[in-house]
Amino acid sequence: MDFTFTEEQEAAREAARGVFSGVSPDDVPSPQHGPAGRPVADDFDRRLWARLADADVLGLTVPEEHGGAGLDALALCLALRESAKVLARVPLLETGAVALTLAAYADGPTRAALLPRVARGELALTAAAHGRTGHEPPEHAVEARQSAEAEGTLLDGVQTAVPWAPTCDLAAVPARTPEGRAVLALVAPSDPGVALAEQTSTNGERYAELRLDSVRVPDDRLVTHPEAAGHLARLLTTGTCAQALGLGTRVLEMTSAYVGEREQFGHPLATFQAVAVQAADRYIDLRAMEATLWQAAWRLSPVDVAVAKIWASEGVRRVAQTAQHLHGGAGADTDNTLHRYHAWAKQLELTAGPAAQHEEHLGDLLAAEAPG
């Protein structure tokens, strides 16, 4: 079998790399340089978003008939890996994952109304993926019921930690009907009954708790296919793994460059065995993260996604911690770029569930598959 990426996937990576090459991590707002508990900015990077639209990166996962490239989760993950290397402050993961889900499961009119606007950069999408507390299936946190007075579906519930919710145009919200069926609703922050409680992520970005009080969602913004919500959750988790791999790769590059130049006792730090062993261990972490990521992106099965997230959560944490350690005092200096990567690494470690949560989930999946 040929495990290399296709020409189209390689082209997607190069297009993303070309745009992100113009982003300097030193210019990314730092959570350490502002008031504690406040977002680093009111909005995501709109200028970068426009450049991504011009380069057709936002249309990677949009079908060709709707103005996109019609590519898959692998192409999205290739672009996300490049974005994380420079700490790109854009909802590329959420928009790409929601677009893929709509392309696969939404009705024709919904796809035609939304996906061309995504490809042109006119719609920024986010997703509610953490439920009420971050420790439950997100569809369990919101009830979807039919309205007796008018057309549409009414939503009631709470979703926490929705990225850039105050400034994105639509949020994909998983919900559950009284009969126990999962649905996916597209909610605008301006819809009547929507309330946003400001939250700030570990890396300083503007999040919000999404509160829904009898929010009416029209039929053209409701995806009723029972697989849609689960598919979106797996895409978001897999994309987070891609971001962790990109960030970890860049952090190890920074660390290798530093220990190759910094001298102690007249010798570069890289020549010391203890330093070399730690760097080698982190390289092994990255290779494991990469192997499990592409398996998950290819199959999108619950087992493969859980395995990838276990490695991504543990790996990105170990890479960031080792980098801080090997940088010594320089790594603790908030004038050093590394502290930004450390904050983003912690955010990625916990996003979509830490390693322990996925280990428990993996155990449940394997137990369910075991012969009785």
Side-chain angles (χ1 to χ4, degrees), residues 9-22:
Q9 290 165 346
E10 291 285 4
R13 172 168 57 183
E14 291 305 314
R17 181 178 294 172
V19 176
F20 293 126
S21 65

Side-chain angles (χ1 to χ4, degrees), residues 80-134:
L80 290 170
R81 184 173 64 173
E82 298 302 319
S83 75
K85 291 178 181 179
V86 297
L87 310 180
R89 300 181 54 259
V90 287
L92 180 60
L93 165 59
E94 295 80 10
T95 298
V98 174
L100 268 174
T101 304
L102 294 178
Y105 296 112
D107 293 336
T110 300
R111 296 197 303 270
L114 299 179
L115 291 178
R117 298 180 64 197
V118 170
R120 294 193 298 266
E122 298 171 1
L123 274 183
L125 307 177
T126 188
H130 305 293
R132 182 184 297 269
T133 64

Side-chain angles (χ1 to χ4, degrees), residues 308-324:
K309 189 56 168 71
I310 292 168
W311 276 104
S313 293
E314 295 284 1
V316 75
R317 174 178 55 80
R318 287 194 291 256
V319 169
Q321 288 179 343
T322 298
Q324 293 275 178

Side-chain angles (χ1 to χ4, degrees), residues 303 361-371:
V303 168
H361 180 51
L362 179 61
D364 292 339
L365 292 170
L366 295 178
E369 293 179 358

Side-chain angles (χ1 to χ4, degrees), residues 15-33:
R17 181 178 294 172
V19 176
F20 293 126
S21 65
V23 178
S24 171
D26 287 324
D27 295 332
V28 174
S30 166
Q32 298 296 323
H33 291 171

Side-chain angles (χ1 to χ4, degrees), residues 188-314:
S190 58
D191 285 340
V194 175
L196 299 176
E198 289 279 354
Q199 295 176 321
T200 303
S201 65
T202 302
N203 58 343
E205 296 301 335
R206 193 179 182 193
Y207 281 31
E209 180 184 73
L210 188 68
R211 299 173 182 170
L212 308 170
D213 183 10
S214 296
V215 176
R216 188 181 306 279
V217 176
D219 292 340
D220 61 355
R221 283 202 267 137
L222 188 73
V223 182
T224 58
H225 195 288
E227 298 297 326
H231 185 75
L232 175 60
R234 292 191 295 276
L235 284 170
L236 291 168
T237 303
T238 304
T240 302
C241 296
Q243 292 175 317
L245 176 61
L247 184 147
T249 299
R250 179 59 188 135
V251 167
L252 187 59
E253 291 171 353
M254 294 166 60
T255 304
S256 299
Y258 180 80
V259 299
E261 298 171 356
R262 182 76 165 88
E263 291 190 356
Q264 286 284 352
F265 310 110
H267 299 280
L269 287 176
T271 62
F272 298 164
Q273 185 178 27
V275 172
V277 167
Q278 291 182 71
D281 285 343
R282 299 297 77 81
Y283 176 82
I284 292 172
D285 279 334
L286 289 175
R287 297 291 69 77
M289 291 166 64
E290 184 172 27
T292 55
L293 164 65
W294 299 130
Q295 179 87 335
W298 176 39
R299 295 187 177 186
L300 285 177
S301 75
V303 168
D304 291 312
V305 172
V307 170
K309 189 56 168 71
I310 292 168
W311 276 104
S313 293
E314 295 284 1

